[in-house]
Amino acid sequence: AQSVSQHNHHVILSEAASLELGCNYSYGGTVNLFWYVQYPGQHLQLLLKYFSGDPLVKGIKGFEAEFIKSKFSFNLRKPSVQWSDTAEYFCAVNSVNAGNMLTFGGGTRLMVKP
Amino acid sequence: GAGVSQSPSNKVTEKGKDVELRCDPISGHTALYWYRQSLGQGLEFLIYFQGNSAPDKSGLPSDRFSAERTGGSVSTLTIQRTQQEDSAVYLCASSPDPQETQYFGPGTRLLVL
């Protein structure tokens, strides 16, 4: 069975600080990788995704993530966070060979102090 | 265009009662998923529908849970004889194709007293 680990459960940053959220998955086959964000009181929204091609993907609001196949990682980054980035971030994986359902990490709560 | 909609947005019920949760996927999306988000378990897959194929029920936690999708569109998740541990936010998602991005609805927050 596939699993996803997010190493940081809570992160507190000041505005303009750089952000990196770790995500590792366990599955030996071909995977699709996602980062979703849940702003306070809102539903899950897609930040970015990787299906194939360039392992460095760019998403909305200045976020990017890098797929490193050898490390089974898909870390999320943003050079300079804003107060409005306060949210919970979820890494997720799916695979045709293991069903199309998403397997989510435990989430990382990010608080950005103004 | 319209996103995934779910109803009700909140549901409070008594232990032992049955509940039905509804999901309207994005028009034209062939794949529909139910997930559950709870404090102790995070986000968990429950069930997946793709077109007219038999659903993948591998994530349903017990036989008290069932779901159907009528006409390839609207889906209903039914929980029979609810228990307090069923309290959670139930999320529905749809995608145009099983390998495409899943778009989530706002969820139904279920509280079992």
Side-chain angles (χ1 to χ4, degrees):
Chain A
Q2 56 195 18
S3 65
V4 180
S5 298
Q6 293 183 238
H7 316 299
N8 314 100
H9 299 294
H10 292 90
V11 174
I12 302 174
L13 295 172
S14 297
E15 276 195 315
S18 64
L19 171 71
E20 180 159 2
L21 301 183
C23 173
N24 285 88
Y25 67 94
S26 65
Y27 184 67
T30 302
V31 294
N32 300 319
L33 297 150
F34 306 82
W35 277 96
Y36 282 87
V37 61
Q38 189 168 31
Y39 297 103
Q42 297 187 29
H43 58 278
L44 278 169
Q45 302 171 38
L46 181 71
L47 260 185
L48 48 78
K49 62 186 179 185
Y50 173 79
F51 284 4
S52 64
D54 187 344
L56 182 62
V57 292
K58 296 189 184 297
I60 61 171
K61 304 186 180 185
F63 286 90
E64 65 178 32
E66 185 175 12
F67 171 48
I68 303 180
K69 189 174 182 179
S70 61
K71 295 185 178 180
F72 297 90
S73 71
F74 190 55
N75 292 353
L76 181 70
R77 299 194 292 251
K78 185 171 184 178
S80 175
V81 295
Q82 300 174 314
W83 174 79
S84 58
D85 294 324
T86 294
E88 189 160 15
Y89 294 80
F90 294 91
C91 182
V93 168
N94 76 354
S95 165
V96 173
N97 296 327
N100 295 304
M101 69 288 291
L102 290 170
T103 299
F104 285 89
T108 298
R109 287 187 183 274
L110 171 66
M111 177 182 292
V112 180
K113 297 185 293 185
Chain B
V4 177
S5 61
Q6 293 186 245
S7 60
S9 53
N10 291 281
K11 176 73 176 178
V12 180
T13 191
E14 294 177 348
K15 178 181 171 181
K17 300 283 190 184
D18 297 351
V19 295
E20 285 190 352
L21 312 179
R22 177 186 168 106
C23 171
D24 278 277
I26 295 172
S27 177
H29 281 196
T30 63
L32 187 148
Y33 308 79
W34 283 96
Y35 296 87
R36 179 169 70 173
Q37 186 174 23
S38 57
L39 280 175
Q41 302 298 322
L43 272 155
E44 308 171 277
F45 163 74
L46 296 177
I47 188 168
Y48 156 54
F49 296 89
Q50 168 55 34
N52 295 320
S53 302
D56 180 339
K57 304 179 183 179
S58 60
L60 294 178
S62 79
D63 59 7
R64 295 186 296 104
F65 288 72
S66 63
E68 61 178 22
R69 188 179 185 191
T70 53
S73 180
V74 171
S75 177
T76 302
L77 177 70
T78 301
I79 309 173
Q80 295 179 310
R81 305 180 303 281
T82 53
Q83 303 294 313
Q84 289 179 330
E85 61 263 29
D86 300 334
S87 296
V89 177
Y90 289 81
L91 297 172
C92 179
S94 70
S95 65
D97 177 272
Q99 284 295 292
E100 289 295 323
T101 300
Q102 295 178 28
Y103 297 88
F104 284 80
T108 293
R109 187 175 297 274
L110 175 66
L111 178 62
V112 182
L113 300 176

